[in-house]
Amino acid sequence: MKRLRQAKIVATLGPSSSDFPMVRALFDAGADVFRLNFSHGTHAQHKERLDIIRRVERESGRPIAVLLDLQGPKLRIGTFANGPVALSAGAAFRLDLDTTPGDATRAPLPHPEIFAALKAGTDLLVDDGKVRLRVRHCGADFADTQVVVGGTVSDRKGVNVPSVLLPISALTPKDRADLEFGLSLHVDWVALSFVQRAEDLHEVKAIVKGRAAVLAKLEKPAAIDSLDAIIEAADAIMVARGDLGVELPAEQVPRIQKRIVRACRAAGKPVVVATQMLESMINSPVPTRAEASDVANAVYDGADAVMLSAESASGQYPREAVAMMDRLIAEVESDPNYRSAIDASHTAPQAVVADAICLALRQTASLLPVAAMVTYTRSGTTSLRAARERPAVPVLSMTPELATARRLALVWGVHSVHAADRVADVPDMVTQARTMARREAFAQPGDVVVIASGMPFGVAGTTNFLHIAKV
């Protein structure tokens, strides 16, 4: 099944999309990657959904990526003795480690790591920033605050500490259990929530040991301060605008989104733009015009993928949301100004053989009537470097590794194919590339394809070969 677009769609599965007919409908409508959100649902439910995805994959004959999204460390206030309390601006309010239910003057905050990092003047955001508290005095087990923005606070509301690098692991005990379970199911991508520094990714990768690719979700200002190091450590990045929009002023989020996308494109790392992209389609069959523009802007910037969350997981119109995103992407990519902008935003290739080959791929496609680029890859490196160039023709990625074929389903412009037969030599690779280009409807007899690979075959990260062939 050939997609007539380059940017990819990530669709979250949930109560509205848990059976085979709906998952198949989402795939047919345009979903390339399915996200399993481990903040919700049981292990049994996630396994059932993954089994359905693999059935769709077998029946469609196209590799599908599965993204396991870990919940991450959720910081929450404790409970209140007599229900929700109203906090007025200017009032004093104490947070402490005492587990006694709170009232209008204090509440438990069972996170000693927060108190260890606080200092006078720090702001605490409660319930997605609806209530703002400013620390006046603090110690190892308490913080006396003043209410800056008042409102009602109830049991177990989330707490954000935007300006502080918290001394906590990005992996909770729940995350560790979820991660091991997901790896046993052979998920393709693991999304790490609330990344603050590159060391968070090193911790996860030490557990994953190459069994899946690791995606860093950027949700905290501290991550933006360490952006280059995080991009280098991650296999992909997600601009998770929900919590990022809570911890940063809303007017800064668009600029930061563009900065992250540019940095990922320069590094050749896939980047996903996520959260509230078609939010109104949770309850409406059509999006707002502002939401349509939001999706379009991410595509114009060259993001590898855009993501649906509640729209496809729990909304009333999951298939319509995917289909709308598919149409929005196709419309942007048909705009001549899109191609001009993409070409103008190329970053200089690195002085390495792989980038020289992939740059030559793009230039060849601009000089000759090339129907497709064909990459033969084991690890995915050749296809990733080709996609970094954002070529004007599709990248047909052939790999003997099913896991690699699935992971590449997330990447811009890559039509990923699992080629079960390993190539023996160059003539064999050229023959397979011609055959696959015809089979996948990228080329007809007489068309030109340009082929890139690494030699010797089967050695990861050795892109050093380019060949032009006629089908």
Side-chain angles (χ1 to χ4, degrees), residues 11-14 34-40 45-47 49-50 53 66-70 185 187:
T12 304
L13 298 186
F34 287 107
R35 170 177 174 252
L36 304 178
N37 184 3
F38 274 63
S39 294
H40 308 284
Q45 288 172 326
H46 289 304
K47 182 181 185 305
R49 290 165 188 163
L50 188 141
I53 295 166
V66 175
L67 170 67
L68 184 166
D69 197 333
L70 298 170
L185 299 179
V187 299

Side-chain angles (χ1 to χ4, degrees), residues 1-10 20 23-24 26-34 50-66 188 304-305 322 326 329 333 394-397 399 401-419 436 439-442:
M1 182 181 290
K2 179 181 174 184
R3 304 286 195 211
L4 300 177
R5 54 175 163 77
Q6 309 303 324
K8 303 299 182 67
I9 297 173
V10 181
F20 175 80
V23 175
R24 179 66 203 231
L26 297 186
F27 173 79
D28 289 342
D32 303 287
V33 180
F34 287 107
L50 188 141
D51 289 343
I52 290 171
I53 295 166
R54 293 304 179 221
R55 179 183 166 191
V56 172
E57 180 182 70
R58 289 191 300 271
E59 293 188 4
S60 68
R62 175 169 177 155
I64 301 173
V66 175
D188 308 297
D304 288 78
V322 174
D326 181 80
I329 296 171
E333 293 179 353
V395 178
L396 173 56
S397 173
T399 177
E401 304 294 337
L402 180 56
T404 299
R406 288 169 171 166
R407 291 176 194 177
L408 290 171
L410 179 70
V411 181
W412 186 99
V414 172
H415 180 91
S416 190
V417 174
H418 177 218
M436 194 65 71
R439 194 194 82 179
E440 298 294 314
F442 285 95

Side-chain angles (χ1 to χ4, degrees), residues 166-190:
L166 295 174
I168 58 176
S169 168
L171 283 175
T172 66
K174 169 180 162 47
D175 293 331
R176 292 177 184 274
D178 289 343
L179 178 57
E180 288 297 342
F181 177 73
L183 292 172
S184 74
L185 299 179
H186 305 291
V187 299
D188 308 297
W189 288 89
V190 172

Side-chain angles (χ1 to χ4, degrees), residues 22 49 116 320 445 454 459:
M22 180 54 75
R49 290 165 188 163
E320 290 83 354
V459 179

